[in-house]
Every structure is written in structure tokens, then in C-alpha cells.
DNA sequence: TTCCTGATAAACAGGTCTGTTTACATATAT
DNA sequence: ATATATGTAAACAGACCTGTTTATCAGGAA
């Protein structure tokens, strides 16, 4: 059932999970921050894990929309593939960049059949789909393989940028992406 | 102070952190598994976080030693750079592969100035150093930049392999690595 | 012997966590 | 006006968490 309280709860949860991680963020903290009663949470969700999944779905949609908005400014699909990494750089440069909530979810909920892990993987698959879409439009060789390699660079850039606090990882990923795209041209 | 009990405790902790993550692994679980008394832990370490750092250091040394052992089988430094990704594939294929404990550490302890995060980053830097070493020996153009790009592929392969349960990520990373190495040749 | 070190066992303290229960409030739609 | 749905407040249960305290034990060295 949709509800403004529910939406606000999910948004607040997504922000706190993003910042502090999942195990480290207690329900009471989320409720206090959102200004929502505990029973409201448990009326809308069976458990904390269900709230986490909902937060990942909302945040996943938001990320993809943001990525498309940035990358689609480029006209040519080949250019869009590169523009993805410009968007990443912008993200890494933002004050308080703290890593990727989906990667954190996959890490904290290791088993691949865990619902939280699967929700995180679904978001990464959406990124892959966007890459495949453009690799195909650009009529590049073996677009599936290319998209997979670009996804590796996407994930690698996020991981390295966070591990070392090094936003420059985005630029290096872009350079590597240019090379593998050229190789498929 | 070194001690067999201490070593066993650290080894046990490393294995459990690797499997279940850090917040999800309680001290009591580690102690029960190791067959060690709680006071022994707190005689050797001030806190759980200190144990985590020690476990990451030990596991980090083990990973680098394993990686070198695999990759150094290749004669040419250029071949070694590629052999890294064969080693990754071997790792991803092992039963019960569950992601990278250092990536998990960086994710669970987000702030880059957190001691646990820093211990994880130190291990990644050691991987970078090994790549730089070989990129330099191979007399490739801009070895520093190349090593950073290879590290991106290394991290990306680990992330994707875990997120999707897809060991094939190693092969794709190797192909991308071959292209960027060729480009620097 | 006596002393010291390292380890053990078990209880305990004080927090925090998820999730439940219960009683009450508000608003809308029939 | 009244039933239904939605939300609130606060206490509670029960588990789990890190870390401390206390008493005890075994072995080697002075």
C-alpha cells in the first residue's frame, strides 16, 4: 500500500543506509530521523530486511535515472558510454561521498541468494542494461562482452574511489573504457 | 606479544569475517570457534576493532603471497600482469566464494580515516604495488597509470563476480586487461 | 619454595537490537 | 454517526552485543 509516511520512511532509510551501512543503522535511528512511529514501519514492512529491499529499489531507480540524465546529454551512443564515467567523477567529487550503497548491500549480505543481495544485484544489472543498450546502438563488436567489461570498470571505479578516497579513479576508468571501446570499434 | 593462542584467534577471526562480515560476526562466535577464552582476546587486543585490523593484516599478507605465487609462474612481467586474472578466476571458482574481505571491510567501515578502512586500503595498495612493479619491468608506457587501470579491473572483477555469482568476470577482466596493456605497449 | 606469566571459566554490567503489545488519536467515507 | 484505515506513543520482551570483573589454574624461573 502506498502512503506518504511509507515513502518518507524509505527515503530516510535509504539515506542512512547509504551513509552508515545496514548493520550499523538501527531501526530506532531511522524512525527518529523520519519522525515516524515504529508501528508504522511494521505495518508497511514485515521486517527490517524488507525495508532495506524497498530502500534499495527506490535508490536503484533514482541512480539509473540520474545516470541516464547525465549520459543521455551526449548524442552518440558511443559518447554516452564514456559520459557514464564523467557522471561517476561528478559523484565521487561530491562532499561526503561514502561509497556505493548497492556494493555495501552485496558485501554485508554476502550470500547471492539473499534477498538484500539480490536487490543490490538487480540495480547493477540495470546499469549493465543501459551499457548494453548503448553498445548495441553504437554497432560495436560483441556489445554484450563490451558492456560487461564496462560494468567491471564501473564497479572498479566505485570501489577504488571509495577505498582510497580517490575520485580520480573515474578518469582512469574512462581512459580504460575508451581503449576497450576503441578496440571494439 | 606473539603467542600461538593469539595467532589462532586471528586466523579464526579472519575466516569468520571473510564468510559472514564484520558486524554480523560476534566476538563470542569467534571465541567459541577458536576455543579461546574471552580474556585472552582482551589481553592481546584493546577492542574488537583491533582484532579486525590484525586479521586484515594477516589475511592481506596471505593474499599477496598467494597472488605472487600464482602470477610469478609466468616468466615475462607482461604475462604476470595477465596471470593475475587467471588467479582471480581460480579464486572465484572455489566452492563457497563469498567476496573479498577487504572490500567488505571498506564497505562496512565507510570513512576513509577509519582504522579498519585504512587496513583494507593498505592491502589494495599492495596489489597495486605488485602491478606497478611488473608494469615497470615490462617497460610499458606510463606504468603508474596502467597499474591503476589494472587495479580497477581487479576490483571490478571481484565486485561483479560476487554481486552476480559470476566467476566469468575474471575472464572478462583479463580480456580488458590485455587490451589496455596492448595499448601501453 | 615462591613468584610471575598466560590462560581459563563464568558471571556480570550496561547497551543496543529487532519486533510485539496495548491503548489511544485522527480522518475519511459510507 | 459510525465503521474502517492509518498513525502515534510508550512500554515491553528477549535476544545479542562488547567489554569487565573475579577467582582459579598450570607451568616455568628465580
Amino acid at each position: 500500500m502506498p502512503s506518504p509516511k511509507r515513502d518518507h520512511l524509505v527515503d530516510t532509510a535509504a539515506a542512512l543506509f547509504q551513509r552508515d551501512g545496514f548493520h550499523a543503522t538501527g531501526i530506532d535511528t531511522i524512525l527518529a530521523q523520519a519522525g515516524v512511529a515504529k508501528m508504522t514501519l511494521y505495518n508497511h514492512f514485515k521486517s527490517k530486511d524488507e525495508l532495506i529491499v524497498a530502500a534499495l529499489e527506490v535508490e536503484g531507480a533514482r541512480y539509473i535515472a540520474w545516470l541516464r540524465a547525465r549520459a543521455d546529454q551526449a548524442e552518440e551512443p558511443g559518447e554516452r558510454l564514456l559520459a557514464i564515467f564523467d557522471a561517476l567523477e561528478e559523484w565521487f567529487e561530491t562532499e561526503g561521498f561514502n561509497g556505493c550503497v548497492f556494493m555495501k548491500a552485496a558485501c554485508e549480505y554476502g550470500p547471492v541468494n539473499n534477498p538484500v543481495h539480490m536487490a543490490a544485484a538487480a540495480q547493477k544489472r540495470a546499469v549493465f542494461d543501459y551499457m548494453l543498450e548503448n553498445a548495441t546502438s553504437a554497432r560495436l563488436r560483441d556489445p554484450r562482452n563490451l558492456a560487461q567489461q564496462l560494468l567491471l570498470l564501473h564497479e572498479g571505479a566505485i570501489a577504488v574511489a571509495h577505498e582510497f578516497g580517490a575520485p580520480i579513479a573515474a578518469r582512469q576508468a574512462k581512459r580504460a573504457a575508451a581503449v576497450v571501446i576503441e578496440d571494439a570499434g
Side-chain angles (χ1 to χ4, degrees), chain A:
Chain A
M1 300 300 149
S3 134
K5 286 285 178 185
R6 194 198 116 113
D7 291 350
H8 183 228
L9 193 54
V10 170
D11 285 348
T12 306
L16 289 174
F17 290 147
Q18 167 80 251
R19 197 188 65 185
D20 298 330
F22 298 90
H23 288 91
T25 303
I27 279 182
D28 292 343
T29 306
I30 299 168
L31 294 171
Q33 178 88 6
V36 161
K38 190 178 267 194
M39 272 315 295
T40 303
L41 194 172
Y42 284 103
N43 278 335
H44 285 291
F45 303 98
K46 280 211 335 263
S47 65
K48 181 188 181 184
D49 276 15
E50 269 198 7
L51 172 63
I52 292 176
V53 168
L56 288 176
E57 284 168 356
V58 164
E59 194 63 30
R62 192 149 37 207
Y63 181 84
I64 288 293
W66 168 83
L67 191 64
R68 292 189 101 104
R70 295 288 176 206
D72 284 354
Q73 287 174 6
E75 295 292 333
E76 297 295 321
E79 296 293 321
R80 287 179 188 167
L81 290 174
L82 286 176
I84 289 171
F85 297 93
D86 293 330
L88 282 186
E89 185 173 10
E90 204 177 302
W91 176 27
F92 299 164
E93 296 277 11
T94 55
E95 180 72 19
F97 166 70
N98 202 23
C100 168
V101 74
F102 310 104
M103 193 176 287
K104 290 182 183 187
C107 282
E108 290 198 42
Y109 300 85
V112 289
N113 62 341
N114 178 294
V116 173
H117 189 110
M118 288 168 70
Q123 191 273 341
K124 297 299 184 185
R125 191 169 301 269
V127 174
F128 168 77
D129 288 341
Y130 178 64
M131 288 169 165
L132 178 58
E133 186 182 316
N134 283 292
T136 304
S137 299
R139 305 195 162 281
L140 292 164
R141 201 176 322 118
D142 202 349
R144 192 158 208 92
N145 178 59
L146 177 60
Q148 282 163 344
Q149 290 181 342
L150 292 177
L151 185 64
L152 290 183
L153 289 170
H154 177 269
E155 295 304 287
I158 293 171
V160 169
H162 181 221
E163 283 157 5
F164 297 102
I168 199 173
R171 246 180 244 252
Q172 283 154 348
K174 186 183 182 183
R175 265 191 279 177
V179 174
V180 302
I181 290 171
E182 174 67 23
D183 184 67

